[in-house]
Amino acid sequence: MELSRAQTSDHDGMDLLRCPECRGSLVDLACVSCGAAYSAPDGIPDLLGSGPLAARYREIGAYYDDLYSRRTDVWREQGHSEELTRYIVELVEAFGPGRYLDLGCGEGFFLAQARSMEGFGIDLSRKVLLKARARSQATVAIAVGERLPFPDQTFD
């Protein structure tokens, strides 16, 4: 069996994160190019930035934080099954060892099962990312698909 990049590299995934504003490198979550600074409450980088759009994303994230605080099986309530999860994971793993990104990763069910590849997950909810991080070895961050905090061609 061929080893994935996750199994052969020394990095923890955080070194791949980039500033979503200018795509510059981050050092201690500060952009070396534009000077934007980001925080990491609970050890999860918050790469939404500032401004009205970021504020709206945070409102959405707060809604999901609240939802996941009050309910325990949201994933299943939305109609997701073990069979669906396995099917999606098999599709991803069919591409062989490499890196993949789970946009809106939620609690990390796909991240936890697709272990032959290096997983990255983004979501708006810190609470679900805490669960995803506990469930998997994936690198997780608060971010949106419209402003991915990764260099081009990072994922297979």
Side-chain angles (χ1 to χ4, degrees):
M1 177 181 177
E2 199 173 336
L3 292 179
S4 72
R5 283 185 227 171
Q7 295 165 316
T8 60
S9 68
D10 292 329
H11 73 84
D12 65 359
M14 293 295 187
D15 60 332
L16 292 175
L17 294 176
R18 296 292 181 264
C19 174
E21 299 289 333
C22 73
R23 314 270 306 213
S25 296
L26 296 176
V27 174
D28 295 326
L29 294 178
C31 180
V32 299
S33 299
C34 72
Y38 303 93
S39 63
D42 300 317
I44 296 177
D46 181 338
L47 301 173
L48 293 178
S50 59
L53 189 55
R56 180 64 184 128
Y57 287 135
R58 281 195 178 79
E59 288 175 11
I60 296 167
Y63 167 81
Y64 282 102
D65 283 347
D66 181 59
L67 177 69
Y68 279 88
S69 292
R70 291 183 288 111
R71 297 177 42 205
T72 58
D73 207 14
V74 176
W75 183 252
R76 304 284 178 246
E77 289 174 7
Q78 294 174 344
H80 297 97
S81 65
E82 283 297 319
E83 293 80 20
L84 174 66
T85 300
R86 191 71 234 149
Y87 175 75
I88 299 295
V89 168
E90 287 172 4
L91 287 175
V92 170
E93 289 182 333
F95 288 96
R99 278 191 197 117
Y100 71 98
L101 174 64
D102 187 350
L103 253 76
C105 67
E107 296 177 83
F109 288 103
F110 296 128
L111 295 169
Q113 288 193 29
R115 291 181 291 269
S116 70
M117 299 179 79
E118 183 179 14
F120 289 76
I122 65 170
D123 204 290
L124 293 175
S125 168
R126 177 172 287 102
K127 289 209 184 292
V128 297
L129 289 173
L130 287 167
K131 292 178 181 186
R133 185 177 65 188
R135 181 173 275 124
S136 73
Q137 297 297 310
T139 299
V140 297
I142 299 170
V144 293
E146 296 86 353
R147 295 169 32 121
L148 290 175
F150 303 101
D152 291 342
Q153 300 180 358
T154 296
F155 303 103
D156 301 302

